[in-house]
């Protein structure tokens, strides 16, 4: 038995019905689509899933809502329950695949089982196969999830999977002794009874006109619903290198620049561009930090102002270079630090109550967020992955949404491309293809200046 770290349990406690904390990776595979080849593909995925030790972890939660939940080893893991098949009807269009992705990622994971699933979809156009890897955010942050996803699509020997099954039964660790939690649980209980009435009173007393709408607010800064829209785009990695050599930039700064340009055009098209530049949230890996030692989620959260008011691609890139550098030099936001400080003494029930209160205030437009997007970039495998008789052509990360920020822009370097996954609330972005087209045009415009 191993208790969840505070950063991990947070994603369990803030989960809402319309905001499941399910991360996803969409992998597009090319290869034969006959039943024998698909059977071999599933066997490799099955073996890869069994070789991941954390796939054997499931939750054991206290009914009181005061003690933090813990991971326990699942001796009866049935991998076939976690790997599921979907078949598209002819013509197997992208909208049909998006509907499957939405259904998969928006369905909450059963907390009585291990919090992961793998779905494969046949019947796509051009005889391709889609694999959707689904993982709860409590199990991993972006980088750790990427490692798990890569291992799931690898081809380990079957005996290795059996070794992992047997070698990871013991989850006890010296830093998570039961006596420690007997000491801290009374503090959590006292915290709950002291703070819960204040949260309820604050929600009731806050009037709709208490706060002014921030000048950076957009259609993406409101409450999200239960429907999603998705988009994907692959950009050549070699062009990123050309731009980086020309302007001494980084891949992430290029992405921030083209995101800014595409959001400018998308919101201008709808006559909704705010008077000030938009803000984005940047989750940054803190894998070497002692503060996150032993946690599945080892991330800090930074806020950066985008360059949505600048129309020149080169000037916008230079501006994002300066703003990203300045943001990373700053300490994490005060709100993030307060969350980290209070989590050890906050019972899960209180965190869930605060999350519901926040969601209610956002829905009623009594408070407003300033984050229009959460932006992530991960360095993925440089080699092209082959799974049985199939080759992974593209791997597109799809991150979670939460109230107050209805747009997620996730990118991953894979092989010789940078694959971008766009996830949004469907009402906020009903036309993701238009935004994807703007992303492509902004990247091509920046590439043209670098080659001149």
């Amino acid at each position: 038995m191993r208790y969840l770290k505070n950063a991990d349990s947070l994603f369990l406690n803030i989960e809402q019905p319309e905001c499941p904390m399910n991360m996803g990776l969409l992998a597009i595979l090319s290869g034969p689509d006959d039943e024998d080849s698909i059977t071999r593909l599933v066997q490799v995925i099955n073996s890869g899933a069994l070789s991941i030790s954390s796939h054997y972890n499931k939750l054991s939660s206290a009914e009181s809502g005061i003690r933090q939940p813990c991971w326990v080893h699942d001796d009866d893991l049935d991998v076939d329950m976690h790997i599921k098949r979907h078949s598209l009807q002819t013509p197997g269009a992208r909208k049909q695949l998006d509907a499957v992705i939405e259904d998969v990622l928006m369905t909450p994971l059963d907390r009585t089982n291990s919090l992961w699933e793998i779905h494969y979809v046949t019947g796509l156009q051009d005889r391709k196969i889609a694999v959707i890897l689904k993982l709860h955010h409590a199990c991993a942050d972006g980088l750790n999830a990427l490692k798990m996803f890569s291992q799931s699509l690898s081809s380990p020997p079957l005996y290795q999977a059996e070794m992992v099954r047997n070698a990871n039964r013991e989850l006890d660790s010296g830093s998570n002794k039961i006596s420690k939690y007997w000491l801290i649980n009374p503090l959590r209980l006292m915290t709950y009874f002291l703070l819960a009435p204040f949260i309820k009173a604050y929600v009731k007393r806050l009037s709709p006109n208490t706060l002014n709408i921030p000048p950076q607010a957009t259609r993406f800064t409101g409450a999200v619903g239960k429907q999603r829209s998705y988009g994907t785009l692959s950009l050549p990695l070699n062009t990123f290198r050309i731009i980086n050599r020309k302007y001494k930039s980084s891949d992430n700064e290029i992405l921030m620049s083209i995101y800014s340009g595409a959001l400018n055009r998308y919101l201008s098209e709808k006559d909704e561009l705010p008077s000030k530049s938009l803000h984005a949230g940047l989750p940054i890996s803190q894998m070497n930090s002692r503060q996150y030692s032993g946690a599945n989620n080892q991330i800090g959260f930074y806020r950066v102002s985008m360059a949505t008011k600048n129309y020149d691609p080169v000037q916008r890139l230079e501006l994002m270079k300066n703003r990203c550098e300045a943001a990373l030099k700053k300490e994490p936001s005060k709100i993030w630090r307060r969350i980290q400080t209070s989590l050890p003494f906050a019972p899960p029930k209180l965190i869930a109550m605060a999350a519901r209160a926040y969601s209610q205030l956002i829905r009623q437009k009594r408070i407003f967020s300033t984050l229009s997007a959460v932006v992530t970039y991960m360095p993925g495998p440089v080699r092209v992955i082959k799974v049985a008789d199939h080759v992974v052509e593209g791997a597109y990360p799809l991150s979670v949404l939460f109230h107050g920020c209805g747009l997620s822009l996730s990118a991953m370097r894979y092989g010789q491309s940078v694959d971008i996954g766009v996830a949004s609330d469907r009402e906020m972005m009903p036309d993701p293809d238009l935004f994807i087209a703007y992303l492509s045009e902004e990247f091509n415009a920046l590439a043209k200046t670098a080659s001149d």
Side-chain angles (χ1 to χ4, degrees):
M1 181 172 62
R2 174 170 58 84
Y3 283 92
L4 271 70
K5 293 288 186 177
N6 301 316
D8 304 333
S9 64
L10 175 65
F11 291 104
L12 289 173
N13 299 322
I14 67 174
E15 191 168 45
Q16 302 285 308
E18 62 273 23
C19 304
M21 295 286 105
N22 299 328
M23 297 188 296
L25 181 76
L26 171 65
I28 303 297
L29 282 61
S30 62
D33 61 350
D34 59 277
E35 285 302 319
D36 288 341
S37 297
I38 292 175
T39 299
R40 286 193 293 272
L41 172 66
V42 175
Q43 288 175 344
V44 171
I45 293 175
N46 186 309
S47 179
L50 286 172
S51 70
I52 301 174
S53 59
S54 58
H55 276 180
Y56 294 87
N57 295 347
K58 66 178 182 179
L59 287 171
S60 175
S61 301
E63 296 296 332
S64 64
I66 300 300
R67 179 173 64 82
Q68 292 284 21
C70 58
W71 295 119
V72 295
H73 189 276
D74 186 1
D75 295 311
D76 302 316
L77 176 67
D78 183 1
V79 70
D80 292 330
M81 290 182 57
H82 295 265
I83 299 179
K84 304 176 183 180
R85 179 173 180 172
H86 308 261
S87 297
L88 301 183
Q89 301 294 325
T90 305
R94 178 53 197 258
K95 287 188 176 180
Q96 294 172 265
L97 176 59
D98 287 345
V100 175
I101 297 172
E102 179 181 22
D103 180 62
V104 168
L105 295 184
M106 290 302 293
T107 302
L109 286 160
D110 182 359
R111 293 195 179 186
T112 63
N113 294 321
S114 299
L115 300 181
W116 63 275
E117 291 176 353
I118 300 176
H119 299 252
Y120 63 102
V121 187
T122 59
L124 276 70
Q125 293 176 337
D126 302 325
R127 301 176 60 190
K128 298 185 185 299
I129 296 174
V131 177
I132 307 166
L133 300 112
K134 174 181 176 182
L135 181 69
H136 198 283
H137 214 320
C139 300
D141 56 22
L143 282 179
N144 287 321
L146 179 57
K147 294 177 183 178
M148 295 170 66
F149 290 157
S150 298
Q151 193 171 346
S152 296
L153 295 178
S154 64
S155 304
L158 289 175
Y159 74 85
Q160 178 183 343
E162 189 61 31
M163 287 173 61
V164 171
R165 176 189 289 272
N166 294 327
N168 289 277
R169 295 180 181 276
E170 186 62 45
L171 289 176
D172 285 328
S173 66
S175 61
N176 289 309
K177 293 181 179 179
I178 300 299
S179 58
K180 171 184 174 183
Y181 290 89
W182 280 112
L183 175 65
I184 203 171
N185 280 343
L187 295 176
R188 289 200 180 105
L189 187 64
M190 183 173 61
T191 303
Y192 172 74
F193 283 113
L194 287 176
L195 294 185
F198 288 98
I199 293 177
K200 295 178 181 178
Y202 176 78
V203 173
K204 290 181 179 179
R205 292 179 58 186
L206 192 64
S207 67
N209 299 320
T210 299
L211 299 176
N212 294 324
I213 299 177
Q216 302 92 351
T218 66
R219 59 171 50 216
F220 303 112
T221 56
V224 301
K226 292 185 178 181
Q227 294 182 308
R228 297 288 183 265
S229 60
Y230 299 103
T232 57
L233 176 66
S234 292
L235 299 173
L237 182 60
N238 185 55
T239 307
F240 274 82
R241 292 169 177 162
I242 293 173
I243 298 172
N244 287 334
R245 284 196 296 267
K246 174 79 171 183
Y247 299 113
K248 295 180 174 57
S249 57
S250 67
D251 293 349
N252 189 58
E253 290 161 353
I254 293 174
L255 289 168
M256 291 295 293
S257 176
I258 66 174
Y259 292 157
S260 298
L263 282 167
N264 176 307
R265 296 176 63 180
Y266 185 82
L267 294 174
S268 296
E269 172 80 17
K270 303 179 184 303
D271 197 27
E272 296 177 1
L273 187 66
S275 58
K276 290 190 176 182
S277 288
L278 277 58
H279 287 165
L282 297 178
I284 302 295
S285 174
Q286 305 284 341
M287 295 189 70
N288 297 322
S289 172
R290 292 184 180 180
Q291 179 179 359
Y292 297 96
S293 177
N296 296 328
N297 289 271
Q298 303 176 42
I299 53 175
F301 196 79
Y302 299 81
R303 188 175 73 166
V304 61
S305 177
M306 304 180 78
T308 50
K309 300 302 293 183
N310 198 301
Y311 293 82
D312 182 85
V314 178
Q315 293 179 6
R316 189 166 56 235
L317 176 59
E318 292 295 332
L319 193 58
M320 288 316 308
K321 286 171 57 180
N322 296 332
R323 290 183 177 178
C324 287
E325 182 181 0
L328 295 179
K329 287 182 179 179
K330 291 181 179 179
E331 293 293 328
S333 67
K334 291 181 179 180
I335 294 178
W336 187 253
R337 290 202 304 270
R338 287 171 183 169
I339 290 174
Q340 293 173 328
T341 303
S342 60
L343 273 177
F345 304 102
K349 189 174 182 180
L350 184 66
I351 297 174
M353 177 186 295
R356 289 193 298 270
Y358 169 79
S359 303
Q360 179 182 345
L361 295 174
I362 286 284
R363 281 193 295 266
Q364 296 175 353
K365 298 183 178 181
R366 298 164 78 178
I367 61 174
F368 300 91
S369 170
T370 60
L371 291 182
S372 290
V374 172
V375 179
T376 58
Y377 176 63
M378 297 172 289
V382 295
R383 65 178 181 87
V384 174
I385 297 175
K386 186 175 181 180
V387 190
D389 304 320
H390 299 78
V391 174
V392 179
E393 291 187 346
Y396 308 93
L398 299 170
S399 192
V400 301
L401 301 181
F402 200 70
H403 291 297
C405 188
L407 177 62
S408 170
L409 304 171
S410 306
M412 185 178 79
R413 185 186 67 210
Y414 168 69
Q416 293 303 307
S417 66
V418 174
D419 296 337
I420 301 174
V422 177
S424 181
D425 177 88
R426 191 183 297 179
E427 289 190 7
M428 295 177 177
M429 184 179 280
D431 44 5
D433 291 343
L434 177 62
F435 184 75
I436 291 293
Y438 287 152
L439 282 177
S440 181
E441 292 171 10
E442 290 296 328
F443 181 74
N444 291 335
L446 186 58
K448 186 176 183 303
T449 66
S451 60
D452 289 343

